[in-house]
Amino acid sequence: MAVVDGARRTVIEIGRRALGLDVRPSDHTVEVLHSVDGEVPGLDRRETLQLTRIRLLGATGAVIMAVAALGVGAQPVHQNPTSGLRVLGFFARAHTSTLAMCMIGTVLVVMAWLLLGRFAVGGWGGNPVHRLTRSQLDRTLLLWIIPLSIAPPMFSNDVYSYLAQSEIAARGLDPYEVGPADGLGLNNVLTNNVPNIWRETPAPYGPLFLWMGKGIAIVTGDNIIAGVWLHRLLALAGVALIVWALPRLSRRCGVAPVSALWLGAANPLVLFHLVGGVHNDALMLGLMLAGLEFCLRAVEDTHPFDRNAWALLIFGTVVITMSSSIKVTSLIALGFVTMALARRWGGGFKQVLVAGSLLGAIALATTLFISYASGLGFGWIHTLGVAGAVRSWMSLPTAIGVVTGFGGVLLGLGDHTTALLSITRPIAGTIAGFITVRMLVATWTGRLHPVGALGVSLGAIVLLFPVVQPWYLLWAIVPLAAWANRPAFRVPAVAFSAVVSVILMPRGADFYVFQIVESAVAVVIVSLLLIFLTRNVLPWRNQPGVSAPSQRPTPYGVSS
């Protein structure tokens, strides 16, 4: 047994060093973990005035984006409420100008978010001496969300696929067997709004999401605008759950709640793609984090493990399983709850089996209930790989396969991209599985907190997934925002979020090169002019009292 324990510790140490995680054992009291809230004073008068200007800058950008969405958003082909209108319809006729507006608004929001970080986590390498309060952050986030929540969908047409697949279910057909073209017909208004690549494709989503979509379809019928609004309400409910769960999870990891919320909830990827893009990932993430919080309350906060702990554990497990019934990826969270629970019960291999069997039984019962009660069955198991038809440039194995295949074409060896993808994708999947197992063991031994280990695993899964969409990055960024608040993680996460948010086109479609170039030039001019005009009134540079570093160590090797 000693040999096994020694080998296990060695594996965890190697994984820790490979990932650059300077972590500490999780033997910290709740009082220490919760001490991050009150140790940094609030903003002074000058900083509060700067915060007001930053809030206004982000709100202005969000409003500009919302107006521009009338022209370059993912407007429906049919039932477009602005079609034919003189004023509102102008934006759809002036594509270049509207694209420039949207890109300028996007950059303004991203710039405001980066400036807000001065008062949430400090400069790139330090912590703030003064920090904004939770209420100040909540008001800022709400002000930025409202314009995007009433705008037409942006950056993606996926919501129209949701509507079509939900209508198929409402008609009593199996959305896991037929796509919009076969289930509704090519002349159906819902089918016509679905991108051509997905018209023949069955639904890749879990039964809970389509069950809710079925209810929306029954209420709205063929009314596209009403259907989009109700689906956006589901997305906003998911964002609300993220805002609720994230600060609670961050306290467990010794990270300031406003720091976690700034990176995980006010992130432009959340604003643009979960709210603006109406993606069901919002509800998946919200339910996963909320369920994880309830489970950790049972595992970490209850002494002894009484009936209240059992109720919290069962409820949290059900909530996590519900999230996996939207997108199955979130089911991995139960593995980390299992390891944390086994550690609480003694840490032996027998405890792992007992905890895994218990949570697995609850998850299976919940999935069976949802699948049968919804009438959708288990067809979703066979459609999980539907998205693999897309070759995503953000996926490492896909990018390697495509680039290598293109190199073969240049060398006159022929196009072997498909064959290469059949090699790179399984290898990447194996690596992601290995990292996930290593993180599970790290949770079991107490070397990593379950929240952090989950975030690292999801990060590996996302980066090595065959298909990576911009909003998939949030699967890792959001939980890691509650744990890994060190510059080694924060700087790449912030940079990636900002760059990806800026470079994507507002309707997920192609524009002419001259339109993109002209819009980009306008963005650069406006951005430089804004920075010049506000150089003395906004914290573009590190300022004393704003981003001076604090050397206070915090639990799990993170910096709050």
Side-chain angles (χ1 to χ4, degrees):
M1 187 65 182
V3 175
V4 174
D5 289 340
R8 188 170 61 191
R9 287 193 296 269
T10 301
V11 170
I12 295 303
E13 183 66 19
I14 293 173
R16 179 181 66 83
R17 292 177 179 177
L19 291 169
L21 301 174
D22 182 17
V23 298
R24 303 179 181 185
S26 55
D27 299 327
H28 299 275
T29 64
V30 174
E31 288 77 11
V32 170
L33 294 179
H34 287 220
S35 66
V36 297
D37 285 310
E39 294 190 3
V40 179
L43 305 181
D44 59 27
R45 183 176 180 181
R46 175 178 60 88
E47 294 162 352
T48 301
L49 180 59
Q50 290 180 331
L51 174 62
T52 301
R53 292 165 179 162
I54 292 171
R55 184 182 294 163
L56 179 60
L57 176 64
T60 301
V63 170
I64 292 175
M65 290 180 66
V67 174
L70 297 173
V72 294
Q75 294 277 41
V77 177
H78 299 290
Q79 301 181 20
N80 187 340
T82 65
S83 179
L85 298 180
R86 289 187 176 182
V87 177
L88 296 181
F90 165 78
F91 299 99
R93 298 190 295 270
H95 275 184
T96 304
S97 300
T98 311
L99 175 62
M101 283 181 57
C102 188
M103 292 176 66
I104 289 172
T106 300
V107 171
L108 292 183
V109 174
V110 172
M111 292 168 71
W113 176 66
L114 294 174
L115 291 172
L116 185 66
R118 295 285 194 194
F119 303 118
V121 296
W124 293 110
N127 299 319
V129 170
H130 297 163
R131 179 182 286 133
L132 79 168
T133 65
R134 172 67 190 276
S135 62
Q136 288 174 324
L137 181 61
D138 286 345
R139 290 196 297 270
T140 303
L141 179 58
L142 184 62
L143 189 62
W144 293 355
I145 282 180
I146 289 176
L148 297 174
S149 65
I150 61 177
M154 303 184 69
F155 299 101
S156 174
N157 293 286
D158 281 4
V159 66
Y160 301 118
S161 294
Y162 300 165
L163 294 176
Q165 292 158 0
S166 300
E167 178 63 21
I168 292 173
R171 293 187 179 186
L173 302 175
D174 188 352
Y176 301 122
E177 291 289 340
V178 298
D182 294 331
L184 304 178
L186 289 173
N187 295 325
N188 186 273
V189 294
L190 298 178
T191 302
N192 289 337
N193 287 296
V194 178
N196 291 333
I197 189 175
W198 304 122
R199 290 188 181 181
E200 307 286 343
T201 304
Y205 309 113
L208 178 60
F209 178 70
L210 289 183
W211 193 9
M212 293 185 290
K214 179 180 177 180
I216 291 175
I218 293 174
V219 172
T220 62
D222 291 340
N223 190 321
I224 296 172
I225 304 304
V228 169
W229 271 97
L230 291 181
H231 272 282
R232 178 163 273 158
L233 288 179
L234 291 180
L236 290 173
V239 173
L241 285 173
I242 292 173
V243 172
W244 178 85
L246 202 55
R248 290 165 172 79
L249 293 172
S250 71
R251 291 191 187 99
R252 299 182 180 280
C253 302
V255 175
V258 292
S259 299
L261 284 171
W262 170 77
L263 182 56
N267 193 303
L269 292 175
V270 173
L271 302 177
F272 299 163
H273 296 286
L274 299 191
V275 177
V278 203
H279 285 291
N280 56 11
D281 300 71
L283 195 57
M284 180 203 77
L285 281 170
L287 289 172
M288 181 188 74
L289 294 178
L292 183 62
E293 165 61 18
F294 283 114
C295 287
L296 292 181
R297 286 185 185 183
V299 174
E300 297 181 350
D301 298 349
T302 56
H303 301 278
F305 202 89
D306 53 14
R307 285 188 296 179
N308 182 51
W310 280 108
L312 288 171
L313 180 66
I314 293 172
F315 181 73
T317 303
V318 170
V319 173
I320 293 176
T321 307
M322 290 172 61
S323 76
S324 71
S325 293
I326 297 173
K327 282 191 172 181
V328 73
T329 311
S330 62
L331 190 62
I332 191 177
L334 281 184
F336 294 93
V337 174
T338 296
M339 293 303 180
L341 182 62
R343 178 174 172 79
R344 166 71 188 272
W345 285 349
F349 187 70
K350 178 181 178 181
Q351 283 76 18
V352 173
L353 293 178
V354 172
S357 299
L358 173 65
L359 300 188
I362 297 172
L364 179 60
T366 304
T367 303
L368 288 173
F369 173 79
I370 293 174
S371 298
Y372 283 114
S374 64
L376 296 170
F378 294 90
W380 55 273
I381 296 176
H382 305 292
T383 63
L384 295 177
V386 163
V390 177
R391 292 181 179 178
S392 172
W393 62 272
M394 295 182 65
S395 167
L396 289 179
T398 300
I400 292 173
V402 171
V403 170
T404 306
F406 181 71
V409 173
L410 293 179
L411 294 174
L413 302 177
D415 187 0
H416 301 288
T417 302
T418 302
L420 289 169
L421 289 177
S422 66
I423 298 174
T424 59
R425 287 178 171 179
I427 292 175
T430 302
I431 296 173
F434 173 75
I435 294 175
T436 299
V437 171
R438 187 164 60 181
M439 293 301 102
L440 287 169
V441 175
T443 303
W444 181 22
T445 58
R447 300 303 299 272
L448 292 182
H449 192 275
V451 175
L454 172 63
V456 172
S457 298
L458 287 173
I461 291 172
V462 168
L463 292 177
L464 298 173
F465 210 57
V467 177
V468 179
Q469 301 292 356
W471 52 94
Y472 289 6
L473 299 173
L474 294 170
W475 299 358
I477 289 176
V478 173
L480 283 175
W483 175 76
N485 211 23
R486 298 184 61 172
F489 159 73
R490 187 171 63 238
V491 173
V494 169
F496 215 104
S497 298
V499 171
V500 172
S501 297
V502 170
I503 65 176
L504 293 178
M505 294 296 100
R507 64 182 179 194
D510 295 329
F511 290 87
Y512 293 113
V513 174
F514 79 88
Q515 292 178 311
I516 298 176
V517 171
E518 290 179 0
S519 300
V521 171
V523 169
V524 172
I525 293 174
V526 171
S527 300
L528 293 178
L529 184 61
L530 175 67
I531 294 174
F532 176 78
L533 294 176
T534 61
R535 64 190 185 280
N536 295 322
V537 296
L538 289 177
W540 295 107
R541 294 166 293 184
N542 287 355
Q543 300 177 8
V546 176
S547 55
S550 170
Q551 301 300 324
R552 180 180 58 84
T554 55
Y556 307 110
V558 298
S559 174
S560 63

